[in-house]
Every structure is written in structure tokens, then in C-alpha cells.
Amino acid sequence: MPDLASERVDHRFKGLPPDAEGLTVGELAAERRNLFTGGFTTPVLALSAESVEHNLRLLEEYARRHGLAFAPHGKTSMAPRLFERQLEHGAWGITAAVPHQARVYRAHGIARIFLANELVDAVALRWLAAELDADPGFRFVCYVDSVRGAELMDEALRAAGASRPVDVVVELGAGEGARTGVRTEAECAAVADAVAAAGTLRLVGVAGYEGEVPAADPERVRAWLRRLVALAADFDKAGRFDPAAGEIVVSAGGSAWFDTVAEVFAEIPDLSLPVLKLLRSGAYVSHDDGHYRTLTPFNRVPAEGALRPAFRLWSQVVSRPTPEQAFTNAGKRDAAYDLHLPEAQVVRDARTGALRPAEGIEVTGLSDQHAWLRTAAGAHLEVGDWVGMGLSHPCTAFDKWQLIPLVEADGTVVDYVRTFF
């Protein structure tokens, strides 16, 4: 497993102190520099150490309380340091979407991977066969959603000389016009037949993604999840699952409906094998100040707790051309913007270092390297001030930064999160 702490700090990592060049990440972390006075340059993205820890504990407790296994989707952060923390907090494994992600996970020692996609790339399947053959402790599960897909998988694995079967789950589509997945139960049975005919595959369960249910609301999501559970029960009754697997996998759960997943999965009847009820929510680790702030299931079940947004993007006012307008030096290269613009939250005064709420300040647009700010009458903002912004959609925030400071509330940087996109 690579030692991330031994990686050298240099020009590849934006926002980090220029005078830290040549130090290892571990050495820089040990210095416990302050984000505001320790030589960091703007823009710089920070993660709240307290919020990340809170979110890790909250989902660990939630999954345990509801009898769920948990394989958080790693595509959100692509950060092995966070994967390690998620596993320490009870995760069964880590979910991936594409072969590259699975390769990153394996390079960093992830022993259980759930690939939430059909894998038909012959080169990737050859790599997978070698990984499975080399490591008896490696568990891998992926979707299958077509007869042709099962045939392609079998062909590639046979050509690779695979000695271990690849575990697959039939993906039930979320409805007409939704994303991937088999649309009808009859077609699911045909896919299961194709898996049974392929000596290199082993059917171990069913899965899907309720976030793609058209016009999703609790009633529609609940109805689709009950279809998924019924499919598992029907397949089990028909003897379709391989008993050698020792369990039946039933998996769903993005970051918007995991409360409904927990509710319906609690209804899964006794089957011929123990059921691994596998939740895959990923955005929780950082949460956000936009998309998931609105959609989080904890809004519907506040007694279960609340996630805390962990991102703050700090940029500096570089132009104040009019009393109504200002520009900072963070733009599309630095901030998530696909769902919502950043939210101005706090200002750090360049003269005094004091923090104050960003009252009367609104981000109205982003250029490649600038944020456009509208300032209301009376809003105090000067060139040189730092503006802290909340971000919406973690998946498109993490991918813009390779090394992210993990910062305590007083500004002390205690660690760094390395990403691999």
C-alpha cells in the first residue's frame, strides 16, 4: 500500500505553502500550520476535521441502528485517507463506478469492492481476474444488467483464464426513462439465466439505485424498493443464488433516500441465506451547503441526527471595482458549480484577521479563475479580504483538488487528504 504521508509537497498541489516544497505530507502535517497565517495561498479548499469526524460517526451509528452494511461510494472523494476512516467507522467495503476507481482502491489495500455498474471491458476484466486469483481475501461484486453483458463478461474471463468466479448482482432499473438496469422482472430472470450459463460468474444478489426513480417521492421510491426486495425473494425461491456465496446481497441507497432504504430493507423476509443489506451512500462524508443540504434524509428524520457540511473554499478579494461588485480569485477550476454556485458564508478581515458573517455578499457567477460577487449596500469588503464559501455537490468539489487540508475550528491544519481522480 502506498505511504501517502511520504509524498513530497511541491507545485502539483495548489494552495499549499510555497515554503513547504520538499517536505513530505507527513512532515507538513506535523507542523500543524494555521490555514490563515501558515503560508497557504488562495484559493485553498479546506475540510473541517470536526465535521468529517461527526459525519463518519453519524452514518456508522445509523447503519448499525438499522441493521445495514455500508459500502460508501468512493467516487465522491477518491481519497484513500477517507476510505481508511470510513472502514474504521464500520464500512463493509467501498463502492466504485468504473474500473479505474477499483484499481485505485486495490492500490490502497481495499479488500471489498462493490462496482455499481456492469463491467464489460475485457482489459479491465483481465485485470480483475488477476486480482481475484492473486488474493483469496479480495471480495468483488458488480452489476449485470443484460444478457449480452453476461456473455461479454464470461468471454473475457474465460480468455483471461480466471480461476475464481466473479460475483454479480442483477441490477433492477428504477423505471422507464431511468438510467441503467433491467426494466422488467421477466428480463431480470433472463439475465439471471445468462449468469447461470456462464461458468465464470456467480449470482449473489440484486441491486439498484433508487435515486433514479422518475419523479421520486417517498411513495414511488418505497414502491421501487419493494420491487427490488420481491425480486430477491423470487430469485431465492427459484434457487437462483449460489449457496456457496454464503449470503444474498440486496443493495441500494444513494445519499438522498437512505431512510426509505432502511425502512424497506427492514421488511426483507427470511431467505435461504443471510442477507447482506448493503447501503452505498457516499456524499455524507463531507456533506455540502447546497444539493445534499436540501436532499439529506436527515431532514425527514431529524431525531436520527444531522450531517454537517465540511467544505469551505477560501479565496481572496482581488478586485473591488464598484460598491456593488467584487471579485475573488476562485473560479470554475476550484469550486463545484454544476448544481449551485458557491455560497459566501464568512469573511476574514485582511487588516485584523477577525472573522465576520458574509452578510450582504452573494456569489452571482464564476469565470475560470474568478468568482463574481454582488455586495449589498453597507456590506464591508476590501481587496485582500478572504471570503469563505460553502459548496454544493461534493462529487464535483473533491475532483478539483489533489491535496486538501483537514482543518480544525481554530484554523490548525492537522492532516491532508490526497485524492486520485
Side-chain angles (χ1 to χ4, degrees):
M1 184 187 304
D3 179 8
L4 298 179
S6 66
E7 187 162 15
R8 295 288 173 183
V9 174
D10 58 25
H11 61 276
R12 292 171 296 164
F13 305 122
K14 59 186 180 180
L16 298 192
D19 68 351
E21 180 145 356
L23 296 177
T24 66
V25 172
E27 290 167 343
L28 180 58
E31 291 185 354
R32 296 177 64 87
R33 297 195 186 196
N34 186 278
L35 185 72
F36 306 111
T37 61
F40 292 83
T41 63
T42 57
V44 60
L45 181 67
L47 276 169
S48 161
E50 294 89 351
S51 293
V52 168
E53 181 63 24
H54 168 84
N55 295 342
L56 288 167
R57 290 188 181 278
L58 183 62
L59 259 291
E60 177 185 20
E61 293 164 1
Y62 183 90
R64 182 186 301 117
R65 191 159 54 242
H66 291 278
L68 301 170
F70 191 31
H73 210 317
K75 57 97 174 175
T76 298
S77 71
M78 288 304 295
R81 182 70 183 103
L82 293 181
F83 299 163
E84 179 183 353
R85 299 292 291 124
Q86 289 169 317
L87 293 168
E88 289 171 355
H89 281 275
W92 171 90
I94 306 294
T95 296
V98 294
H100 161 71
Q101 293 168 359
R103 288 185 62 205
V104 171
Y105 298 2
R106 288 299 289 162
H108 291 89
I110 303 301
R112 292 174 176 162
I113 297 174
F114 186 100
L115 185 74
N117 231 331
E118 185 169 66
L119 180 59
V120 295
D121 183 317
V123 174
L125 286 162
R126 184 166 63 244
W127 168 83
L128 174 62
E131 287 290 305
L132 288 168
D133 291 349
D135 183 358
F138 174 34
R139 179 82 195 277
F140 178 89
V141 181
C142 74
Y143 283 176
V144 60
D145 86 339
S146 63
V147 171
R148 177 60 174 155
E151 293 171 347
L152 286 170
M153 292 182 75
D154 185 49
E155 179 183 312
L157 291 167
R158 287 182 185 278
S163 63
R164 286 179 61 189
V166 170
D167 288 348
V168 297
V169 290
V170 172
E171 182 195 4
L172 177 66
E176 290 302 319
R179 201 164 62 188
T180 57
V182 187
R183 293 300 193 253
T184 69
E185 281 73 3
E187 290 171 309
C188 286
V191 173
D193 288 340
V195 170
T200 61
L201 304 178
R202 181 170 72 165
L203 186 63
V204 299
V206 297
Y209 175 48
E210 77 291 339
E212 281 292 312
V213 169
D217 61 22
E219 182 178 349
R220 290 185 177 92
V221 170
R222 194 176 293 113
W224 178 83
L225 286 164
R226 286 181 173 144
R227 280 183 65 200
L228 183 69
V229 169
L231 181 66
D234 289 347
F235 275 13
D236 186 49
K237 185 177 180 180
R240 292 187 177 278
F241 298 127
D242 190 329
E247 64 186 4
I248 295 169
V249 178
V250 182
S251 180
S255 296
W257 293 102
F258 55 75
D259 59 329
T260 312
V261 172
E263 173 194 337
V264 175
F265 278 13
E267 303 170 358
I268 295 177
D270 289 339
L271 302 180
S272 63
L273 294 168
V275 178
L276 183 72
K277 304 172 184 179
L278 194 61
L279 186 69
R280 307 192 307 271
S281 313
Y284 81 97
V285 68
S286 65
H287 197 45
D288 74 0
D289 280 296
H291 185 66
Y292 288 108
R293 178 176 63 189
T294 301
L295 294 181
T296 176
F298 288 116
N299 292 339
R300 295 187 290 271
V301 288
E304 299 256 27
L307 293 167
R308 298 177 184 171
F311 278 126
R312 181 156 284 170
L313 176 63
W314 288 97
S315 61
Q316 195 167 25
V317 178
V318 293
S319 181
R320 190 78 161 96
T322 73
E324 298 80 27
Q325 196 173 36
F327 294 86
T328 76
N329 60 351
K332 293 178 180 179
R333 305 293 174 86
D334 313 298
Y337 62 92
D338 55 317
L339 297 179
H340 302 95
L341 289 170
E343 177 182 271
Q345 295 178 332
V346 64
V347 175
R348 185 175 189 275
D349 192 285
R351 297 178 185 270
T352 67
L355 297 176
R356 61 178 182 271
E359 294 177 355
I361 302 171
E362 179 186 6
V363 180
T364 60
L366 293 176
S367 299
D368 284 351
Q369 306 288 182
H370 291 90
W372 296 57
L373 272 55
R374 179 187 296 127
T375 53
H380 177 55
L381 195 65
E382 287 189 303
V383 169
D385 289 347
W386 285 31
V387 179
M389 303 175 185
L391 301 178
S392 177
H393 196 190
C395 299
T396 53
F398 275 107
D399 68 358
K400 294 174 176 61
W401 295 84
Q402 293 186 66
L403 199 58
I404 305 171
L406 192 67
V407 185
E408 292 183 339
D410 65 358
T412 302
V413 178
V414 294
D415 202 354
Y416 295 83
V417 173
R418 180 75 157 94
T419 65
F420 293 85
F421 285 94

